[in-house]
Amino acid sequence: MLVYRSCLSFHANRKGSAELKERHVNMMAFSACIGFGLFLQSGKIIYIAGPGLAIVAIVLASSVMWSVIACLGEMTALFPVQGPLFEFPGRFIDEAVGYATGWITWFAWVVILAAEILAVAQLWKFRFDPSYLNDVGYPDRELGWSTESYSPAVWVFLFLILIGLVNLLPVRQYGQLEYFFGVIKIMFISLLIVFNVIVSAIQLVPHGDHFWTWNKPWGFASRDFVVHPASDHGAVLTGDSGKFLALWTAVVASLFSFVGFETIAITAPENRDLEKHETIKLATKKLSLRITILYILGTFVGGLNVPYDDPNLVNIQINSIRAGQNSIFVLAAVRNHIRIWPSIFNGFFIFSATTSGINALYNSSRLLHALASIPEAWPVWFQNTRRRLERTTDRGVPLGTVTVSWSVGLIAFLAIKPFPSIVLGRITNNAVVSELICYTVICLSYIVFYHRIKEAANDPSLENRSAFNRDDKQYPYRTHGQLFRAWYGFVFCILLILFNNWRAFYPPFSAPDFIASYIGVSV
């Protein structure tokens, strides 16, 4: 009974400035998902698994998103609370679990902020090896930007300032800006897909078959799987076991591209007319369809024009992320001798990573602001600081939490290290594991939530028990087979957490990769 009463109080506890509409929320979540993942990770996924298995990996990764987002969407639609990512685990599992989930999710988002800025710093080092251009017959001897000699610290500093300033905008103006960013991204990705289809159709560099990258000497899946590409003693796995491990590794690599869909739930306290319109329902369905379709099509058409053993893909270590010259979309243009467009693509990748960094700071600041409203989630000696973080400006901006989250983003200055691409790869892997822990807890919360509201709907002592009836037309959001999807997401996420970086255990043992992949579990 206490659980039901506390659930009924959720609506009364909404805080913040409700200035965002459904279109704002939709595009904010979309923009958060489309960072550098699609553009820089898709080539890595194709290198790991091959063009056909890469699509399978994307489908499997999207199925996890599809399951978790529906769980979170239904709970948030019924109870739009501040900090749903940790509020629901706290209510339906245990308060301590809720607090731990809140902190690890906040940490994941500030790490993603740093990762996006690190990616921006990498993208300014756009330069192709002349020998590669000569091998593919590119008409120019050189292809790159003159900015490659600049210190990465310059770009980290400039883009950190830009991201911080945008997050100081009033909530409504911020939502409008995010909507504008999202529209640009959708248009660009759609045009990028059309571009690759046209290039494949007209065969600017003839190969005799539009599916030449799927045929011998290549194929649907990669021939073998190199466990440690950067090592001279990297083991090579072949056969069905090699293909399975390649697929599993590709699924983990794909997941970073889908991180961000929980933005829909994070924005719940700032949603205008949330209880009058089906904001969560519409945003959840639209986001699932858009992200899944665009990622599958983008990976498919990219794989039609670039073989998985292209030297610029082979050079991508599994735990590293490099610049635009390693993007499969840029390589498709270069291999087909197309001028100008490679530089345009790289410029857009910078824009995309920057806007995702802006969204990462928004998400982390709102999560921290929600945590600041819970005294029990903080040590006793931090209570004064917590009270300061709970304050907002007249325009609804939590200035304190924005500042704190932004400050953690200073770890992006790791870009000045000798191997920033490897640092970036490890940071993204750590963020994925932290998010997977959050998703696991969300699915478990939904399983308990499902049974609780079922009991409440059948409890004759409750006056408004119909509000908990999933078969009632007034129930805000439900999907068919959701309990099965919750169990599917729960089990899949646990397996991904446990075996996300199995290669760290494969000789030679890599302590840095092991720590980056499993420190979140121990914490």
Side-chain angles (χ1 to χ4, degrees):
M1 181 66 68
L2 289 175
V3 173
Y4 310 149
R5 301 300 183 194
S6 63
C7 287
L8 291 172
S9 68
F10 278 7
H11 289 278
N13 291 333
R14 291 184 67 194
K15 297 180 181 180
S17 177
E19 294 287 345
L20 300 176
K21 295 184 178 181
E22 185 268 334
R23 62 187 180 91
H24 297 140
V25 173
N26 209 328
M27 285 304 179
M28 287 171 66
F30 179 81
S31 185
C33 291
I34 305 294
F36 64 85
L38 171 62
F39 307 117
L40 300 185
Q41 291 277 77
S42 54
K44 179 196 291 189
I45 296 167
I46 290 174
Y47 159 65
I48 293 172
L53 276 187
I55 297 173
V56 177
I58 293 288
V59 171
L60 288 174
S62 65
S63 71
V64 175
M65 177 196 74
W66 171 72
S67 300
V68 179
I69 195 174
C71 292
L72 191 58
E74 181 173 336
M75 291 189 292
T76 307
L78 187 61
F79 305 125
V81 296
Q82 189 179 33
L85 296 181
F86 60 85
E87 183 72 30
F88 293 129
R91 296 280 183 169
F92 296 112
I93 302 177
D94 184 83
E95 285 189 355
V97 173
Y99 302 151
T101 304
W103 283 112
I104 199 170
T105 308
W106 172 78
F107 175 75
W109 275 108
V110 293
V111 167
I112 291 171
L113 167 63
E116 298 289 356
I117 298 172
L118 262 168
V120 170
Q122 282 287 99
L123 286 164
W124 285 99
K125 297 180 179 180
F126 182 59
R127 173 68 59 179
F128 272 89
D129 186 341
S131 62
Y132 176 82
L133 298 177
N134 183 62
D135 290 340
V136 299
Y138 193 72
D140 299 328
R141 290 186 176 182
E142 293 186 354
L143 177 58
W145 289 1
S146 59
T147 55
E148 61 178 326
S149 61
Y150 289 35
S151 171
V154 174
W155 308 117
V156 171
F157 174 76
L158 291 176
F159 282 87
L160 262 176
I161 296 296
L162 174 62
I163 288 171
L165 290 176
V166 172
N167 271 273
L168 296 181
L169 291 172
V171 175
R172 183 65 184 278
Q173 281 77 6
Y174 175 84
Q176 293 280 26
L177 195 61
E178 283 283 6
Y179 179 79
F180 177 69
F181 291 157
V183 170
I184 292 177
K185 285 185 176 183
I186 287 181
M187 292 176 61
F188 179 83
I189 296 171
S190 300
L191 291 173
L192 192 63
I193 291 171
V194 172
F195 172 86
N196 278 270
V197 169
I198 293 173
V199 168
S200 176
I202 63 178
Q203 292 276 318
L204 296 175
V205 177
H207 294 284
D209 188 341
H210 297 299
F211 275 81
W212 63 279
T213 59
W214 293 56
N215 304 327
K216 289 185 179 182
W218 299 286
F220 178 86
S222 56
R223 289 189 300 272
D224 46 46
F225 178 67
V226 182
V227 180
H228 297 293
S231 173
D232 295 333
H233 307 287
V236 179
L237 305 178
T238 58
D240 292 338
S241 60
K243 288 181 172 61
F244 172 77
L245 291 173
L247 174 63
W248 184 261
T249 307
V251 171
V252 176
S254 303
L255 277 170
F256 181 79
S257 303
F258 291 98
V259 169
F261 63 81
E262 62 270 29
T263 302
I264 291 174
I266 294 174
T267 60
E270 295 178 331
N271 278 355
R272 172 184 287 187
D273 299 328
L274 180 65
E275 297 172 16
K276 297 179 182 179
H277 302 286
E278 297 180 318
T279 303
I280 296 293
K281 179 178 180 179
L282 291 172
T284 299
K285 290 185 175 180
K286 286 182 181 179
L287 182 66
S288 298
L289 288 173
R290 284 174 179 169
I291 295 296
T292 302
I293 291 173
L294 289 176
Y295 270 82
I296 290 175
L297 289 178
T299 304
F300 171 70
V301 298
L304 292 178
N305 295 312
V306 181
Y308 66 76
D309 64 349
D310 184 283
N312 276 285
L313 296 182
V314 174
N315 288 338
I316 303 178
Q317 301 175 42
I318 292 178
N319 265 9
S320 71
I321 296 172
R322 300 198 174 185
Q325 64 267 22
N326 300 107
S327 168
I328 195 166
F329 302 109
V330 173
L331 293 175
V334 171
R335 293 181 68 95
N336 284 279
H337 310 163
I338 301 174
R339 291 186 172 100
I340 302 176
W341 285 104
S343 294
I344 294 176
F345 290 164
N346 192 68
F348 183 84
F349 299 164
I350 293 174
F351 165 79
S352 184
T354 303
T355 54
S356 290
I358 291 171
N359 200 280
L361 180 55
Y362 171 88
N363 286 344
S364 59
S365 64
R366 268 45 178 191
L367 283 167
L368 186 59
H369 184 247
L371 282 167
S373 65
I374 306 174
E376 294 82 5
W378 298 72
V380 176
W381 58 86
F382 262 85
Q383 292 301 319
N384 289 333
T385 302
R386 178 194 65 78
R387 294 187 190 96
R388 295 190 186 97
L389 294 177
E390 199 175 1
R391 301 169 186 167
T392 60
T393 65
D394 295 337
R395 298 297 185 90
V397 180
L399 186 59
T401 58
V402 169
T403 304
V404 171
S405 299
W406 179 88
S407 299
V408 181
L410 293 172
I411 61 176
F413 279 102
L414 288 170
I416 64 175
K417 291 182 70 66
F419 303 104
S421 61
I422 297 177
V423 173
L424 176 56
R426 287 170 179 159
I427 282 178
T428 56
N429 201 43
N430 180 271
V432 167
V433 174
S434 297
E435 288 287 343
L436 283 172
I437 294 172
C438 174
Y439 299 161
T440 303
V441 175
I442 287 171
C443 290
L444 182 59
S445 300
Y446 180 84
I447 293 169
V448 179
F449 160 87
Y450 180 88
H451 293 294
R452 289 286 188 273
I453 64 169
K454 189 174 182 180
E455 292 174 13
N458 297 322
D459 189 346
S461 64
L462 280 178
E463 296 179 1
N464 57 344
R465 58 179 179 172
S466 62
F468 302 106
N469 185 1
R470 297 183 82 247
D471 296 324
D472 193 285
K473 292 182 179 180
Q474 300 300 317
Y475 194 82
Y477 175 45
R478 65 182 178 277
T479 54
H480 297 292
Q482 184 53 42
L483 184 61
F484 167 78
R485 289 162 68 178
W487 277 108
Y488 170 79
F490 176 72
V491 173
F492 207 146
C493 286
I494 287 180
L495 291 175
L496 288 167
I497 291 170
L498 294 177
F499 303 107
N500 78 90
N501 195 7
W502 58 272
R503 291 166 290 104
F505 301 97
Y506 206 99
F509 178 76
S510 174
D513 287 339
F514 172 80
I515 293 173
S517 301
Y518 293 100
I519 187 67
V521 179
S522 61
V523 171

